[in-house]
Amino acid sequence: MRLITDTRNGNHNLDVEVPDADVKVVLDWLSRLDGKQHTLLSLERKDGWQLMVGGGPFRYVVTLGSDIDNMTLENPSGNQSTMVELCAGGQYGDFPETICVNPEQVASAVSLFFLGRELQLRWVK
């Protein structure tokens, strides 16, 4: 699986690419997302589906997409009126708590994405 993650130094960015990362490598990179130096992780499968994780270190936004569909991982215990500030891809934004997930939810999404079973989770369009 192709992995791309950012490494930021101020407003400068250097992407790191791992062309054939396994789930262990991806989970290691995922643990580095801190919302400052590392703010975005992207996975791409050979079937064209992509999983992107932004934010860190305690809250993340996870998107799933292809040429035909885009979805965001849902936090069923989140409050729609509570906003969470995250930095994803070097850009700060406010996201509703309903789409801000914890590290365990992200790890589950990544693991299921490797197995092609990510649709077992709750996604919103």
Side-chain angles (χ1 to χ4, degrees):
M1 187 136 351
R2 182 173 171 226
L3 163 70
I4 300 174
T5 187
D6 66 348
T7 301
R8 300 192 165 279
N9 184 6
N11 62 354
H12 298 284
N13 178 55
L14 174 65
D15 284 339
V16 175
E17 182 176 342
V18 180
D20 53 357
D22 62 23
V23 69
K24 184 178 178 187
V25 168
V26 173
L27 291 174
D28 179 58
W29 275 102
L30 181 64
S31 72
R32 299 180 198 187
L33 290 184
D34 60 7
K36 295 180 177 124
Q37 184 180 19
H38 302 290
T39 67
L40 186 66
L41 180 147
S42 174
L43 289 173
E44 186 175 334
R45 277 196 316 232
K46 292 184 182 197
D47 63 3
W49 281 88
Q50 289 187 319
L51 184 81
M52 295 183 75
V53 180
F58 306 111
R59 295 290 208 174
Y60 306 84
V61 172
V62 181
T63 59
L64 176 68
S66 71
D67 291 339
I68 56 171
D69 215 354
N70 289 296
M71 299 172 275
T72 305
L73 187 59
E74 185 177 22
N75 174 2
S77 64
N79 184 332
Q80 182 67 30
S81 60
T82 301
M83 301 304 281
V84 177
E85 183 182 65
L86 294 176
C87 182
Q91 300 293 313
Y92 283 90
D94 291 324
F95 299 88
E97 190 180 45
T98 54
I99 62 168
C100 294
V101 296
N102 64 38
E104 293 79 20
Q105 291 166 302
V106 176
S108 177
V110 166
S111 297
L112 288 170
F113 187 71
F114 266 86
L115 298 171
R117 296 179 14 210
E118 64 280 351
L119 294 179
Q120 292 179 356
L121 300 173
R122 292 178 63 172
W123 301 88
V124 291
K125 291 187 180 195

